Amino acid sequence: MEYNQVNIGLVWRWNIESLFNGIGPAMRVILLGFFAALLPDNTVKAQFSQSAVQALEIYHGNEISKDVESIRSQLNLFEPARGFNHNFGFDNTQTWMLLTFKQEQSQHDKILGLGFAPLDSVELFVWRAGALQRIGIAGDLVANKTGLLNNFPSFIISSQYQQDTILIRVVTQSSHQIALKVDDQYTYMNRSSIRHTLYALLYGVLATMLIFNILVFGVLKDKTYIYYALYLLSQILMFGSINGQIDEFILNGKALIGNELTILSFCALNISSLLFTSFFLRLSKYEKVLSNIFRVIMVLVGLVALTIPFVQYALLVKTTVFIALVSCVLILVAGYKSLFKGHSYARFFVSAWTLYILTMILLILQRFGILGNSFFVVHMTEIGAVAETFLITLALIDKFNIIRSENEAHLASIRKQANELKMKTVQLEGHSYRLSHVLRKPVANIVGLISFIISRENAKDDPVLKRLDSSGKELDEIIKTEARRIEGSAHLG
């Protein structure tokens, strides 16, 4: 199997044992990556990854011709790069880079990578004998990729091409970011193994919590958990699309749906976060105005999702990002209002969404070219997602414990009421017994005596006795009816 046909994900799995056996180089990569996240202009990365590079020249602007062959007459437009990481924001202007290698470093194949997955088209040319020859093409809008199957555009630069000038052209509708790295094969594989391991940990955390919340929903039948599971699924789709893992492992670079899937995952994440918040904070009960606003936003996001096939990607990204920011602010407002009303389970929720908004702001600033491409900033969203998942889990546990305490208190109140009803039932049964036996006995005796007197011949027509007999029977019937009513009430109680 030739090296340029190997799926980097498979190599990661095949070489994981050798990675840990070579812990020295791996640790060097980790430490250098850590310092690169802290230092400006990625000076550590430049010294480490690009040690084989003699010079890098770059030009980004509308003045340069889009004709590949015409680039020969415009080399004077190129200007030296100040580093290997560049971020032009949402700018669909093409970027040209000229790369030359040190002659003493050109004995072995090198691997060139542009560490940003959503680049639409990356073409690799070699300047040889006064002509340009394309030696590679990749990108998430390229059907027949010739580079390595990795989560971002990567190419092998053979030793024969390192004697010449390498030209790279980047065109994209997404955020225009170039994180150029040139490594030897061993360093590249170690770096790729570490990167895939970290992403595996991220997806492992999200998938574990996804399954856990589905199981909890199956037990409790509380929609809050299923909506949070949908939120986690949307996060997995979003990270998988913007970081290129879906294209690398699932689509194998054969389906050009990266941009559409990214927008769709943004929309799904927005809707699921609003649904989860609405049910978690019980907005329909406590904040009806906010609940109605959430519904309007969800409808709006759904309409944006329907326009995906017809609207330019950059405009859709800006629209969904703006709506997401509005949603995040409203979610945070709902959380604080719930907290101020005394709902203590909102404390972890507020902390989680405060952190999430901060990471969202940093991501937006980075995607629009305001911040650079340092490791910490680029991966802030993934770090924030793990932290947010942890805090939301605490919020769900806290809410579950509070609801359980409320249910226990309610159950204790029901038991108390049941005991009181039982005592009242005993009292009613006593009243019923007294009515039907104690009080009715003398009345029955009186009615019997009156009937006996009336039965005598000389008293049959006495109106007083007849009236007494009628009243006595009426009183006896009233006592029996009341006794039956009290007895019935006692049994119902």
Side-chain angles (χ1 to χ4, degrees):
M1 179 181 293
E2 295 183 4
Y3 186 77
N4 61 355
Q5 294 176 333
V6 176
N7 184 310
I8 297 302
L10 295 178
V11 173
W12 164 57
R13 290 189 284 270
W14 296 338
N15 288 276
I16 192 69
E17 184 176 353
S18 63
L19 169 67
F20 286 103
N21 290 336
I23 190 65
M27 286 304 297
R28 283 198 298 273
V29 172
I30 293 174
L31 290 175
L32 285 165
F34 173 75
F35 286 115
L38 300 178
L39 296 176
D41 294 329
N42 298 284
T43 54
V44 176
K45 285 184 181 178
Q47 294 173 4
F48 178 70
S49 302
Q50 282 72 243
S51 59
V53 175
Q54 177 70 35
L56 173 68
E57 295 176 285
I58 187 169
Y59 186 80
H60 174 85
N62 294 316
E63 294 85 354
I64 198 166
S65 172
K66 294 184 179 181
D67 181 7
V68 175
E69 295 301 326
S70 300
I71 195 69
R72 289 178 296 179
S73 62
Q74 302 181 55
L75 291 180
N76 61 322
L77 294 176
F78 285 79
E79 52 193 33
R82 296 183 179 179
F84 290 88
N85 284 3
H86 301 273
N87 189 335
F88 300 105
F90 280 88
D91 186 350
N92 58 7
T93 304
Q94 64 176 324
T95 296
W96 280 90
M97 290 175 284
L98 278 76
L99 186 68
T100 56
F101 292 90
K102 296 177 182 178
Q103 294 302 313
E104 64 271 17
Q105 296 286 338
S106 61
Q107 299 176 0
H108 303 286
D109 292 349
K110 301 291 188 299
I111 298 181
L112 182 149
L114 283 79
F116 188 66
L119 296 175
D120 293 346
S121 174
V122 178
E123 294 177 275
L124 209 66
F125 301 90
V126 61
W127 182 274
R128 173 168 287 186
L132 283 177
Q133 175 187 350
R134 192 170 73 179
I135 59 176
I137 183 170
D140 65 356
L141 288 184
V142 175
N144 299 310
K145 300 178 179 65
T146 57
L148 292 168
L149 183 56
N150 199 1
N151 68 310
F152 57 77
S154 303
F155 306 90
I156 293 179
I157 308 296
S158 65
S159 56
Q160 61 174 323
Y161 292 136
Q162 294 174 37
Q163 306 296 326
D164 306 298
T165 299
I166 302 295
L167 287 90
I168 309 161
R169 179 169 66 178
V170 179
V171 179
T172 186
Q173 295 183 55
S174 64
S175 181
H176 198 135
Q177 302 186 37
I178 300 168
L180 182 66
K181 293 180 177 66
V182 180
D183 296 311
D184 58 72
Q185 295 182 12
Y186 181 75
T187 303
Y188 179 81
M189 296 308 299
N190 274 338
R191 190 195 300 277
S192 181
S193 297
I194 293 169
R195 184 176 63 252
H196 281 79
T197 300
L198 293 175
Y199 277 120
L201 291 174
L202 169 66
Y203 294 126
V205 170
L206 296 178
T208 300
M209 293 309 302
L210 169 66
I211 296 171
F212 172 76
N213 280 275
I214 291 175
L215 293 176
V216 173
F217 169 74
V219 175
L220 300 181
K221 306 301 181 184
D222 186 345
K223 291 182 179 180
T224 304
Y225 294 93
I226 198 65
Y227 287 137
Y228 187 55
L230 290 174
Y231 173 75
L232 292 170
L233 178 61
S234 301
Q235 276 198 324
I236 292 173
L237 290 175
M238 181 192 71
F239 287 127
S241 60
I242 65 175
N243 292 320
Q245 278 84 30
I246 291 178
D247 182 66
E248 178 184 3
F249 290 105
I250 299 177
L251 303 178
N252 292 318
K254 297 177 181 178
L256 305 180
I257 61 172
N259 288 350
E260 290 79 4
L261 185 60
T262 299
I263 300 299
L264 189 62
S265 65
F266 284 167
C267 293
L269 188 66
N270 200 336
I271 293 174
S272 58
S273 63
L274 292 172
L275 282 172
F276 167 68
T277 301
S278 183
F279 275 81
F280 181 82
L281 299 177
R282 293 183 278 189
L283 296 184
S284 59
K285 179 178 180 181
Y286 298 112
E287 296 289 343
K288 292 185 178 180
V289 175
L290 274 175
S291 179
N292 292 330
I293 294 175
F294 278 22
R295 292 191 182 97
V296 172
I297 294 177
M298 285 188 280
V299 171
L300 180 61
V301 173
L303 293 175
V304 171
L306 293 176
T307 65
I308 290 176
F310 314 105
V311 180
Q312 188 181 25
Y313 174 76
L315 178 59
L316 284 172
V317 169
K318 295 175 183 178
T319 303
T320 53
V321 166
F322 175 76
I323 297 175
L325 274 178
V326 174
S327 299
C328 287
V329 172
L330 289 174
I331 287 172
L332 197 56
V333 169
Y336 274 110
K337 293 189 75 171
S338 179
L339 188 62
F340 292 152
K341 286 187 175 181
H343 302 150
S344 59
Y345 54 80
R347 53 186 175 173
F348 290 115
F349 180 88
V350 167
S351 301
W353 276 94
T354 301
L355 176 63
Y356 187 76
I357 286 181
L358 290 176
T359 59
M360 280 285 294
I361 291 172
L362 287 175
L363 175 66
I364 292 168
L365 292 176
Q366 195 272 336
R367 288 293 191 262
F368 281 84
I370 299 173
L371 296 181
N373 290 345
S374 67
F375 177 87
F376 182 75
V377 174
V378 170
H379 297 285
M380 170 60 72
T381 308
E382 288 91 335
I383 297 170
V386 173
E388 183 215 12
T389 301
F390 174 72
L391 290 171
I392 290 293
T393 301
L394 292 179
L396 287 169
I397 293 173
D398 196 27
K399 183 181 180 183
F400 175 78
N401 290 332
I402 291 173
I403 292 176
R404 184 178 64 178
S405 300
E406 291 176 352
N407 290 339
E408 288 176 352
H410 185 60
L411 183 61
S413 175
I414 291 174
R415 287 173 179 169
K416 182 179 178 181
Q417 292 176 5
N419 290 331
E420 292 176 352
L421 285 173
K422 186 176 181 180
M423 293 178 61
K424 290 180 179 179
T425 299
V426 172
Q427 293 174 355
L428 287 172
E429 288 176 346
H431 289 311
S432 175
Y433 177 82
R434 284 191 293 273
L435 281 172
S436 60
H437 294 84
V438 179
L439 182 60
R440 186 168 173 264
K441 181 179 179 181
V443 174
N445 290 337
I446 292 171
V447 171
L449 288 172
I450 293 172
S451 297
F452 174 74
I453 294 172
I454 291 175
S455 65
R456 296 171 63 183
E457 292 185 3
N458 57 351
K460 285 182 180 180
D461 297 325
D462 190 333
V464 176
L465 290 175
K466 286 183 178 181
R467 186 67 178 269
L468 283 173
D469 182 54
S470 175
S471 298
K473 290 178 179 178
E474 183 180 355
L475 179 60
D476 185 51
E477 191 62 34
I478 291 172
I479 292 172
K480 289 192 292 182
T481 302
E482 190 65 19
R484 286 194 297 269
R485 188 187 66 80
I486 294 174
E487 186 177 358
S489 298
H491 288 307
L492 289 174

